[in-house]
Amino acid sequence: MKNKKSSYTEIMKSRNTMKNVPSEHPVLDMYIQMVVDEALFKRKKALLEERINDALDTKNKTVFMTLSKEYSVLRKLG
């Protein structure tokens, strides 16, 4: 068996053609995307909370204010 290497362009073209194929389970795909989005949201929120707590512990007001604004925006989205 030959060891065939594909170029980056060829790989990207094949991925794009795969994206155009309609899904057999669109509801399942939507549900999976919702689960992934929720997990990412929760992780980002937890990281922000941790960084805010660190800023409070070190009494770094500028970092605290920046992170608090970002946290406030994130909470409004969720």
Side-chain angles (χ1 to χ4, degrees):
M1 182 161 144
K2 283 187 173 181
N3 187 8
K4 182 182 174 188
K5 291 186 178 181
S6 298
S7 71
Y8 177 77
T9 306
E10 291 171 354
I11 293 170
M12 290 293 107
K13 284 180 184 176
S14 70
R15 284 190 67 210
N16 285 336
T17 57
M18 288 172 43
K19 287 180 184 176
N20 294 334
V21 175
S23 174
E24 294 178 17
H25 308 287
V27 175
L28 181 60
D29 291 344
M30 188 181 350
Y31 180 72
I32 291 169
Q33 186 62 50
M34 289 170 60
V35 170
V36 170
D37 290 343
E38 181 70 15
L40 290 172
F41 174 81
K42 286 182 178 181
R43 179 66 178 148
K44 182 166 181 141
K45 184 178 168 194
L47 287 174
L48 273 173
E49 289 170 351
E50 185 178 320
R51 291 178 63 200
I52 288 170
N53 288 335
D54 290 342
L56 286 170
D57 291 342
T58 59
K59 297 181 171 98
N60 190 337
K61 185 176 180 178
T62 56
V63 171
F64 171 77
M65 294 305 290
T66 303
L67 294 173
S68 294
K69 288 177 187 175
E70 189 176 339
Y71 185 80
S72 176
V73 170
L74 188 66
R75 290 218 24 177
K76 288 178 184 175
L77 294 175

